[in-house]
Amino acid sequence: MPERDAGDLLRDAERIVVFTGAGMSAESGVPTFRDALTGLWQRFDAQALATPEAFEADPALVWGWYEWRRAEVELVWPNAGHRAVATIAAHTPDTLVITQNVDDLHERAGTTRIVHLHGSLFAPRCSACGHAAAVSELPAEGGRIPPPACADCGDDVRPGVVWFGEPLPADALSAATEAASDCDLLLTIGTSGLVHPAAEIPYMAARAGAAVIQINPEPTPIDSVATINLRGPAAQILPDLVCKAWGDR
Ligand code: NAD
Ligand code: APR
């Protein structure tokens, strides 16, 4: 029996998890975190921007930085990789996207079943009472922007993303671990697999007997559990994979 290729695995799967990281949005022009030179953490100090302490020390600096990142996302479009993920879900309804990304590109490509493990740039909330806040007008430029005041308690509104040192949203993490342990195929796309606990997801799926297909131009620790490694950019590989599986793009 010839070894089943990635297209066969995708077509035959009944319960699919699509696990994505910053590389999923790279071809839309959204910078990743750790790519050499272009990664956000190569150009900015994650500790000065992406921790609760940083926000406590200088709310305007942190709020302004995340609003600039949201403005960047609003200016770009989902790429062919995001659209291919939506096509996968159209063919296989029991498909869940588990993303570490805080952008809304999966949503704008038409995917509806999504778990945001690290929150979203589009879900600001009060830093004190947790009340959901309205998304502000886009800033005209980057720089320090004093955060809005919570409509309920008046305290500072914060970005709705998970910072270093913070726990992941419990409901998101339990939905993700449940799906990873029950799927028969996991696609891991555009993540370095460096940041835990999110990075555990592909290993959970492999331990539960799922096939794991990795799409990434670079090797990652996830290579060790990948059934198939597709080396290359997501926006090229994913449409070809969907075409192999179902003949459509
Ligand atoms: P952590 O402190 O354990 O950091 C783990 C990884 O984060 C490190 O291995 C490194 O890859 C990266 N990291 C930490 N400090 C860094 C720095 N100064 N420069 C570059 N990279 C750095 O992460 P954590 O405390 O467990 O964070 C909790 C969760 O919050 C994690 O899952 C993380 O992915 C997430 N997070 C989200 C954002 C965001 O903007 N959405 C930013 C930071 C962290
Ligand atoms: N297609 C697929 N993968 C790509 C592409 C592309 N076009 N371009 C880059 N990549 C890969 C890189 O090789 C790298 O392995 O995407 C990965 C991006 O890794 P990171 O920048 O570390 O992003 P991510 O894995 O999502 O980071 C995890 O860390 O800072 C925290 O919360 C933040 O969610 C983030 C988490």
Side-chain angles (χ1 to χ4, degrees), residues 187-224:
L187 298 171
T188 173
I189 308 163
T191 182
S192 57
L194 290 175
V195 183
H196 294 264
E200 307 287 328
I201 294 294
Y203 301 90
M204 287 176 190
R207 281 198 295 274
V212 175
I213 297 173
Q214 178 170 226
I215 298 172
N216 194 319
E218 305 291 334
T220 76
I222 302 167
D223 286 24
S224 62

Coordinates of all heavy atoms in Angstrom, one line a residue, residues 187-224:
L187 N -3.0 19.9 11.4 CA -2.0 20.7 10.5 C -1.4 21.7 11.4 O -2.1 22.5 12.1 CB -2.8 21.4 9.4 CG -3.6 20.5 8.4 CD1 -4.4 21.4 7.5 CD2 -2.6 19.7 7.5
T188 N -0.1 21.8 11.5 CA 0.6 22.9 12.3 C 1.3 23.8 11.3 O 2.1 23.3 10.5 CB 1.5 22.3 13.3 OG1 2.2 23.4 13.9 CG2 2.5 21.3 12.8
I189 N 0.9 25.0 11.3 CA 1.3 25.9 10.2 C 1.9 27.2 10.7 O 1.2 27.9 11.5 CB 0.0 26.3 9.3 CG1 -0.7 25.0 8.8 CG2 0.5 27.2 8.1 CD1 -2.1 25.3 8.3
G190 N 3.1 27.5 10.4 CA 3.7 28.9 10.7 C 3.9 29.1 12.1 O 3.7 30.3 12.6
T191 N 4.3 28.1 12.9 CA 4.6 28.4 14.3 C 6.0 27.8 14.6 O 6.3 26.7 14.1 CB 3.6 27.8 15.3 OG1 4.0 28.2 16.6 CG2 3.4 26.3 15.2
S192 N 6.8 28.5 15.4 CA 8.1 28.0 15.7 C 8.0 27.0 16.8 O 9.0 26.3 17.1 CB 9.0 29.2 16.3 OG 8.3 29.8 17.4
G193 N 6.9 26.8 17.4 CA 6.7 25.8 18.4 C 7.6 26.0 19.7 O 8.0 25.1 20.3
L194 N 7.9 27.3 19.9 CA 8.8 27.6 21.0 C 8.1 28.0 22.3 O 8.6 28.0 23.4 CB 9.7 28.8 20.6 CG 10.8 28.5 19.6 CD1 11.5 29.7 19.2 CD2 11.7 27.4 20.1
V195 N 6.8 28.5 22.2 CA 6.2 29.1 23.3 C 5.1 28.2 23.9 O 4.1 27.9 23.2 CB 5.6 30.5 22.9 CG1 5.0 31.2 24.1 CG2 6.7 31.3 22.3
H196 N 5.3 27.8 25.2 CA 4.3 26.9 25.8 C 3.4 27.7 26.7 O 3.7 28.9 27.0 CB 5.1 25.9 26.7 CG 6.0 25.0 25.8 ND1 5.6 23.8 25.4 CD2 7.2 25.2 25.2 CE1 6.5 23.2 24.6 NE2 7.5 24.1 24.4
P197 N 2.2 27.2 27.0 CA 1.7 25.9 26.7 C 1.1 25.7 25.3 O 0.8 24.6 24.9 CB 0.6 25.7 27.7 CG 0.1 27.1 27.9 CD 1.3 28.0 27.8
A198 N 1.0 26.8 24.5 CA 0.4 26.6 23.2 C 1.2 25.5 22.4 O 0.6 24.7 21.7 CB 0.4 27.9 22.4
A199 N 2.5 25.5 22.5 CA 3.3 24.6 21.7 C 3.1 23.1 22.0 O 3.5 22.3 21.2 CB 4.8 24.9 21.9
E200 N 2.3 22.9 23.1 CA 2.0 21.4 23.4 C 1.0 20.8 22.4 O 0.9 19.6 22.3 CB 1.4 21.3 24.8 CG 2.2 22.0 25.9 CD 3.5 21.2 26.3 OE1 3.4 20.0 26.1 OE2 4.5 21.8 26.6
I201 N 0.2 21.7 21.8 CA -1.0 21.2 21.0 C -0.6 20.1 20.0 O -1.2 19.0 20.0 CB -1.7 22.4 20.4 CG1 -2.3 23.3 21.4 CG2 -2.8 21.9 19.4 CD1 -3.4 22.7 22.3
P202 N 0.4 20.3 19.1 CA 0.7 19.2 18.2 C 1.1 17.9 18.8 O 0.8 16.8 18.3 CB 1.9 19.8 17.3 CG 1.8 21.3 17.6 CD 1.3 21.5 18.9
Y203 N 1.8 18.0 20.0 CA 2.3 16.8 20.6 C 1.1 16.0 21.2 O 1.1 14.8 21.2 CB 3.3 17.2 21.8 CG 4.5 17.9 21.2 CD1 4.5 19.3 21.2 CD2 5.6 17.2 20.8 CE1 5.6 20.0 20.7 CE2 6.7 17.9 20.3 CZ 6.7 19.3 20.2 OH 7.8 19.9 19.7
M204 N 0.1 16.8 21.7 CA -1.1 16.1 22.2 C -1.8 15.3 21.1 O -2.2 14.2 21.3 CB -2.1 17.2 22.7 CG -1.7 17.8 24.0 SD -3.0 19.1 24.4 CE -2.1 19.9 25.7
A205 N -1.9 15.9 19.9 CA -2.5 15.3 18.8 C -1.8 14.0 18.4 O -2.3 12.9 18.2 CB -2.6 16.2 17.6
A206 N -0.4 14.1 18.3 CA 0.4 13.0 18.0 C 0.3 11.9 19.0 O 0.1 10.7 18.6 CB 1.9 13.4 17.8
R207 N 0.3 12.2 20.3 CA 0.1 11.2 21.3 C -1.2 10.5 21.2 O -1.3 9.3 21.6 CB 0.3 11.8 22.7 CG 1.7 12.1 23.1 CD 1.8 12.3 24.7 NE 1.1 13.5 25.1 CZ 1.6 14.7 25.1 NH1 2.8 14.9 24.7 NH2 0.9 15.8 25.5
A208 N -2.2 11.2 20.7 CA -3.6 10.6 20.6 C -3.7 9.8 19.3 O -4.8 9.3 19.1 CB -4.6 11.7 20.7
G209 N -2.6 9.8 18.5 CA -2.7 8.9 17.3 C -3.0 9.7 16.1 O -3.2 9.0 15.0
A210 N -3.1 11.0 16.1 CA -3.5 11.7 14.9 C -2.2 11.8 14.0 O -1.1 11.8 14.5 CB -3.9 13.2 15.3
A211 N -2.5 12.0 12.7 CA -1.4 12.3 11.8 C -1.1 13.8 11.9 O -2.0 14.6 12.2 CB -1.8 12.0 10.4
V212 N 0.1 14.2 11.8 CA 0.5 15.6 12.0 C 1.2 16.1 10.7 O 2.2 15.4 10.3 CB 1.4 15.8 13.2 CG1 1.9 17.3 13.3 CG2 0.7 15.4 14.5
I213 N 0.7 17.1 10.1 CA 1.4 17.6 8.9 C 1.8 19.0 9.3 O 1.1 19.9 9.7 CB 0.4 17.8 7.7 CG1 -0.1 16.3 7.3 CG2 1.0 18.5 6.5 CD1 -1.2 16.4 6.2
Q214 N 3.2 19.3 9.1 CA 3.7 20.6 9.4 C 4.0 21.4 8.2 O 4.6 20.8 7.2 CB 5.0 20.5 10.3 CG 5.6 21.9 10.6 CD 6.7 21.8 11.6 OE1 6.8 22.6 12.5 NE2 7.6 20.8 11.5
I215 N 3.6 22.7 8.1 CA 3.9 23.5 7.0 C 4.7 24.7 7.6 O 4.2 25.5 8.3 CB 2.7 24.0 6.3 CG1 1.9 22.9 5.7 CG2 3.0 25.1 5.2 CD1 0.5 23.2 5.2
N216 N 6.0 24.8 7.2 CA 6.9 25.8 7.7 C 8.1 25.8 6.8 O 8.7 24.7 6.6 CB 7.3 25.5 9.1 CG 7.9 26.7 9.8 OD1 8.7 27.4 9.3 ND2 7.5 26.9 11.1
P217 N 8.6 27.0 6.4 CA 9.9 26.9 5.6 C 11.1 26.5 6.4 O 12.1 26.1 5.8 CB 10.0 28.4 5.1 CG 9.1 29.2 5.8 CD 8.1 28.3 6.5
E218 N 11.0 26.6 7.7 CA 12.1 26.3 8.6 C 11.8 25.0 9.4 O 10.7 24.8 9.8 CB 12.4 27.4 9.5 CG 12.7 28.8 8.9 CD 14.0 28.8 8.1 OE1 14.9 28.0 8.5 OE2 14.1 29.5 7.1
P219 N 12.9 24.3 9.9 CA 12.6 23.2 10.8 C 12.2 23.8 12.2 O 12.5 25.0 12.5 CB 14.0 22.6 10.9 CG 15.0 23.5 10.4 CD 14.3 24.4 9.5
T220 N 11.4 23.1 13.0 CA 11.1 23.5 14.3 C 11.1 22.2 15.2 O 11.2 21.1 14.7 CB 9.6 24.0 14.3 OG1 8.7 22.9 14.3 CG2 9.3 25.0 13.2
P221 N 11.0 22.4 16.5 CA 10.9 21.2 17.4 C 9.8 20.3 17.0 O 9.9 19.1 17.3 CB 10.7 21.8 18.8 CG 11.2 23.2 18.7 CD 10.9 23.7 17.3
I222 N 8.8 20.8 16.4 CA 7.6 19.9 16.0 C 8.0 18.9 14.9 O 7.3 17.9 14.8 CB 6.4 20.8 15.6 CG1 6.0 21.8 16.7 CG2 5.2 20.0 15.2 CD1 5.1 22.9 16.3
D223 N 9.1 19.1 14.2 CA 9.6 18.1 13.3 C 9.6 16.7 13.9 O 9.3 15.7 13.2 CB 11.0 18.4 12.8 CG 11.1 19.6 11.9 OD1 10.3 20.5 11.9 OD2 12.1 19.7 11.1
S224 N 9.9 16.6 15.2 CA 10.0 15.3 15.8 C 8.7 14.5 15.8 O 8.8 13.3 16.0 CB 10.6 15.5 17.2 OG 9.6 16.2 18.0

